[in-house]
Amino acid sequence: MPLADPRPILAAARAAGHGVGAFNTTLLEHAEAIVAGAEAARSPVVVQVSENAVRYHGGLRPIALATLALAESATVPVVVHLDHAEDVDLVHQAVDLGFTSVMFDGSRLPDDKNRATTRDVVAHCHAHGVAVEAELGEIGGKDGVHAPGVRTDPEEARRFWTDTGVDALAVAVGTSHAMADRTAVVDLDLVSAIAARLPAPLVLHGSSGVDDATLRKVVGRGMTKINIATHLNKVFTREVRARLEADPALLDARRYVAPAREAMAAEVERLIRLLGPEPAAVAP
Ligand SMILES: [Zn+2]
C-alpha cells in the first residue's frame, strides 16, 4: 500500500471521536512491531522517527529507508512521520526521502521566530504534499511545553494555527515526555476547550504517562494523534531482559529480539483498539 497522507486519517478520526496511534521507532524491529500491530488491528498507524533517533543512527537515511520500505509493504495505511525535528535541514531531508508528515518543533525558539520558521516549513512541506505538525512554546526548558505544569491557552493555540497553517498541533494539557509510569493527570476540560476552538487535529505528546481509561477520555474530548514511545520501549525491553536473564548462554540476537518485537506488536494492537472504535465494534 502506498504511504498514507495523515490529513484524511486524522480528520476522519477526529470526526468520529477516535484517536490515531503514533508510535516511535528507534530500531528496525520497532518499526516491524508497529506495522504488525496495526495490521492485526486493521487500522491506520503513524510510525515516527525522531530527531533523537536520527542522532542515534548518525543520519536519517538508513532508518528512514527501512521504515519507508516497511510502510509501503504494509496492508494498512501507514504514515511515516519525522518527530520533534528542530533542524529545518532535517525536515527537508525527510521530505526528499518521501515522508508524508513531519513535526517541526520550534518550541525552544522565541515565539515570533517559531511562528516564522513554522510558516516556512509549512510552505515547503505543503508544496511537496507533506503534512506538518508543530508545537507552540512560549516556555522553554528541557521539556518545553510538555513539562507537567505547562498548559496551552486555547486562544493562543488558535492564533498559532491561523498564523502558521499547520495541519496538526501539539498541545500541553498535563503530560510530559518519557514518563515510566502511567500517572499523568490530564486536564480534560482544557482538551475540550482547545478542541472547541481549533479545527485542526490535536496531538498529545508524552502519552506513555497516561493510563488506558484516561487515554479513552482524552480522545473522547477531541485529542486525535496520540504519541507513545516510552511505554512501548518498556514492553520491548522487559521482554529482552527476561529472555537474557532466563538464558545467560544466549548469543543469537534474534532469540531475544524476536519475542520483544512480538510483545511490542501485541501492545501496539491493543493500544490502537483502545484508541479506536469501542473494542466490541472492532472486527476480529
Ligand atoms: Zn513529543
Side-chain angles (χ1 to χ4, degrees):
M1 193 173 280
L3 237 56
D5 182 336
R7 287 166 286 199
I9 293 171
L10 294 175
R14 185 180 163 144
H18 301 157
V20 175
F23 309 112
N24 284 68
T25 181
T26 312
L27 309 176
L28 173 60
E29 285 83 355
H30 290 155
E32 290 170 341
I34 296 163
V35 170
E39 287 179 334
R42 298 183 195 174
S43 283
V45 74
V46 181
V47 183
Q48 321 198 121
V49 179
S50 72
E51 189 171 308
N52 282 337
V54 172
R55 209 170 287 129
Y56 166 74
H57 286 290
L60 175 62
R61 205 173 144 78
I63 179 89
L65 292 183
T67 304
L68 290 162
L70 282 168
E72 280 161 359
S73 57
T75 59
V76 292
V78 178
V79 174
V80 178
H81 172 85
L82 179 69
D83 187 29
H84 277 289
E86 297 183 11
D87 176 1
V88 175
D89 285 342
L90 188 63
V91 169
H92 291 179
Q93 276 182 52
V95 169
D96 291 346
L97 284 166
F99 281 50
T100 47
S101 181
V102 302
M103 178 201 189
F104 173 68
D105 178 358
S107 61
R108 288 173 205 254
L109 299 172
D111 187 55
D112 54 342
K113 177 85 174 138
N114 182 13
R115 278 166 208 258
T117 312
T118 302
R119 256 198 309 268
D120 289 348
V121 166
V122 167
H124 179 81
C125 289
H126 283 182
H128 291 82
V130 176
V132 180
E133 171 186 333
E135 143 173 344
L136 75 157
E138 292 128 307
I139 299 165
K142 186 168 169 285
D143 285 326
V145 300
H146 303 306
V150 178
R151 297 286 184 273
T152 298
D153 175 67
E155 193 46 48
E156 261 302 297
R158 187 181 170 85
R159 254 200 309 276
F160 185 86
W161 172 73
T162 313
D163 278 1
T164 58
V166 295
D167 303 291
L169 192 66
V171 292
V173 293
T175 57
S176 57
H177 283 115
M179 280 181 72
D181 299 308
R182 303 173 86 194
T183 52
V185 178
V186 179
D187 188 338
L188 294 172
D189 289 339
L190 181 57
V191 175
S192 298
I194 301 171
R197 295 202 67 76
L198 212 72
L202 305 178
V203 186
L204 187 65
H205 284 245
S207 312
S208 291
V210 183
D211 65 34
D212 280 359
T214 311
L215 280 178
R216 281 206 67 91
K217 285 184 198 153
V218 167
V219 163
R221 297 290 191 113
M223 192 68 76
T224 304
K225 179 169 174 275
I226 306 296
N227 287 11
I228 297 178
T230 301
H231 172 73
L232 290 172
N233 262 320
K234 240 166 74 179
V235 169
F236 187 95
T237 304
R238 187 167 53 212
E239 196 62 33
V240 170
R241 190 173 287 120
R243 296 291 160 151
L244 291 176
E245 280 175 357
D247 183 0
L250 194 57
L251 294 175
D252 185 342
R254 290 169 295 190
R255 301 271 303 280
Y256 57 86
V257 172
R261 180 178 57 188
E262 267 170 48
M264 181 169 157
E267 183 62 3
V268 165
E269 179 188 358
R270 196 190 71 80
L271 287 167
I272 289 174
R273 290 183 190 276
L274 177 78
L275 298 171
E278 290 292 339
V282 175

